[in-house]
């Protein structure tokens, strides 16, 4: 189904390669059909953000690193799209921050759980939470399969990273007292608004940067982490990300949109 | 795979029902995996456009109606997403404008061609061009299966409607002298920039409106159609659609994005 003859000099080659990876992962049963649609929404916002990590996103990444480094029991929640795009970076981040990895799916099936678990193990993970009978606890106020969590994983966590999640789930986690780190390309989404820290960036670019930020910051004192967290204002960061999109719209419109628009 | 328990009072219920229809059509082999991603991109731009047909889109719809009514040999090109979402409206539009219907797919396979042909026939179409051996002609400068067209359909047409198409194809059709009517939610796309008339709107909303516009205009003289076409400026219409997105971004940002952002 995919066309791997994407020329390297195509102005949007990276985005097209990521798209291809998602489609292949869909054929392998990792990514749900609705995950492909969600990816398309992300592509549109990434395009409007200029397809690069903004200074604002870098600030959110540093705040997320500080939050991981002050957490007692951090958990990284992994869905199909996250596993398909950044399984290795999830494992690296878990290792460097002492986080658990938990599989949490909107469309949960035994087959999807297992194929995602296998992918994470192939990327180097030793223990995967939230699979099968282990997802025995329930988060209130969520109607779908997303409410199922692992009592030893997300339920016991103080900090939960939910890359590429939906607003309902983010809100439900915040309501039961979790600090939530989200990665979401749409600064207007409910996920973005409800999370404690929102990284408005493409997960493919931001995950390696987050791992790097934790590595650089790791040996500083907890006082420094608290200072970074005190100085970070998520609402302000989101408002400025919206401004960035508005500026880019003006710029692309002036350029006529023809080159930027390639293959959109 | 789909969750049909979408509450009617959900602020984005219409968009979620369309999403569900696309996913079901994907499972039936009508919509390609990449078509789901493309739909997601459209969702994001629709959200930024306020999920309603703008005055600007209505002007483009009237111009498109006038172009159909002055065409000698109009053809409506149908891909998987278009068939999945508006098969009946395509047939209505073809009937009222005397247009041919041609299947043209990026990911062409015998099975997909046939399932789309069947869907259009179920919607009332009598003759479908571009299927199987009939797609024997080639459009220059396109590398994919999209270049295959029917010599009695698109190749002979003066006006081609390409809803939900990509920029390469639109450009190739314009280069061989066709007038192209596109429906594209992204006013910055190459499709939008290259088409003769671009309707920046959701196809689900704009197709019935286009059928209505042709019906209302039908008995007016050709002088009136020419006047409408003379007064329509596609570049200006696109620039104003970009402005509309910028205005909406400011509005949503002021609202905090929480209600609008539901389920995005």
């Amino acid at each position: 189904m995919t066309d791997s003859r994407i020329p390297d000099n195509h102005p949007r080659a990276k985005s097209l390669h990521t798209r291809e990876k998602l489609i292949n992962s869909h054929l392998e049963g990792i990514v749900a059909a609705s995950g492909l649609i969600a990816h398309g929404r992300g592509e549109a916002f990434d395009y409007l953000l200029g397809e690069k990590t903004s200074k604002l996103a870098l600030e959110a990444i540093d705040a997320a690193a500080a939050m991981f480094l002050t957490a007692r029991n951090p958990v990284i929640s992994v869905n199909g799209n996250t596993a398909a795009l950044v399984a290795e970076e999830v494992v690296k981040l878990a290792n460097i921050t002492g986080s658990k990895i938990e599989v949490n799916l909107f469309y949960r099936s035994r087959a999807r759980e297992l194929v995602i678990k296998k992918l994470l193990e192939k990327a180097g993970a030793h223990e995967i939470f939230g699979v099968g009978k282990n997802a025995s606890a329930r988060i209130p106020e969520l109607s779908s399969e997303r409410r199922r969590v692992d009592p030893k994983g997300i339920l016991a966590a103080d900090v939960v990273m939910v890359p590429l999640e939906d607003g309902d789930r983010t809100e439900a986690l915040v309501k039961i007292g979790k600090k939530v780190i989200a990665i979401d390309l749409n600064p207007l989404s409910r996920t973005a608004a409800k999370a404690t820290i929102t990284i408005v960036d493409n997960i493919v670019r931001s995950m390696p940067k987050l791992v790097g930020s934790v590595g650089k910051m790791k040996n500083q004192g907890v006082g420094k982490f608290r200072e970074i967290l005190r100085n970070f204002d998520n609402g302000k960061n989101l408002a400025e990300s919206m401004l960035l999109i508005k500026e880019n719209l003006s710029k692309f419109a002036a350029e006529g949109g023809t080159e930027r628009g390639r293959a959109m």
Side-chain angles (χ1 to χ4, degrees), chain A:
Chain A
M1 294 284 270
T2 70
D3 184 354
S4 57
R5 296 160 301 172
I6 301 160
D8 287 340
N9 63 353
H10 191 292
R12 305 195 52 259
K14 257 191 205 166
S15 172
L16 299 185
H17 282 296
T18 303
R19 189 186 294 175
E20 199 178 14
K21 202 168 178 182
L22 250 287
I23 292 175
N24 289 335
S25 300
H26 171 62
L27 299 175
E28 290 163 15
I30 296 161
V31 169
S34 64
L36 293 177
I37 296 180
H39 181 74
R41 290 195 296 278
E43 274 190 359
F45 282 102
D46 200 14
Y47 167 83
L48 293 173
L49 286 161
E51 287 175 344
K52 59 188 175 206
T53 304
S54 68
K55 208 179 129 280
L56 299 160
L58 288 174
E59 283 169 22
I61 286 169
D62 283 345
M67 186 167 273
F68 266 112
L69 291 169
T70 53
R72 279 174 295 103
N73 192 8
V75 173
I76 305 168
S77 175
V78 175
N79 65 9
N81 287 36
T82 301
L85 294 178
V86 290
E88 288 182 14
E89 283 76 13
V90 163
V91 175
K92 279 185 199 160
L93 184 64
N95 287 344
I96 198 168
T97 59
S99 297
K100 290 172 182 161
I101 299 173
E102 175 162 343
V103 174
N104 188 285
L105 307 176
F106 196 104
Y107 298 107
R108 200 185 267 271
S109 74
R110 187 79 187 132
R112 273 192 79 216
E113 277 182 357
L114 289 180
V115 70
I116 289 169
K117 181 173 183 270
K118 219 172 130 184
L119 182 66
L120 289 163
E121 283 169 348
K122 211 182 132 195
H126 297 299
E127 193 176 10
I128 309 290
F129 290 79
V131 175
K133 284 194 309 263
N134 293 334
S136 59
R138 299 283 182 277
I139 296 179
E141 296 183 56
L142 277 177
S143 57
S144 76
E145 284 295 292
R146 292 167 302 167
R147 72 177 148 189
R148 288 176 54 189
V149 294
D150 195 320
K152 290 184 285 181
I154 288 173
L155 198 70
D158 56 341
V159 170
V160 186
M161 181 174 206
V162 288
L164 315 181
E165 258 308 334
D166 66 285
D168 286 341
R169 181 140 194 270
T170 303
E171 191 171 9
L173 289 170
V174 169
K175 269 195 185 160
I176 58 168
K178 312 297 181 196
K179 286 176 186 162
V180 175
I181 300 166
I183 301 181
D184 191 334
L185 279 158
N186 176 4
L188 292 150
S189 75
R190 281 217 313 158
T191 306
K194 295 292 176 186
T196 319
I197 295 173
T198 309
I199 299 167
V200 179
D201 193 23
N202 191 321
I203 194 169
V204 170
R205 291 189 304 265
S206 51
M207 279 295 280
K209 289 191 169 73
L210 178 54
V211 173
S213 176
V214 172
K216 243 187 290 181
M217 224 182 262
K218 212 172 157 45
N219 296 322
Q220 297 178 12
V222 72
K224 178 68 185 166
F225 308 149
R226 295 222 171 105
E227 188 195 321
I228 290 171
L229 288 170
R230 253 196 322 272
N231 290 335
F232 181 76
D233 181 337
N234 204 50
K236 190 164 166 271
N237 195 284
L238 291 174
E240 287 174 5
S241 298
M242 291 172 209
L243 272 180
L244 178 63
I245 290 181
K246 281 180 65 180
E247 283 164 20
N248 284 340
L249 268 168
S250 304
K251 210 171 72 185
F252 300 160
E255 290 167 4
T258 53
E259 266 319 298
R260 297 278 330 154
R262 266 190 80 85
M264 278 299 274

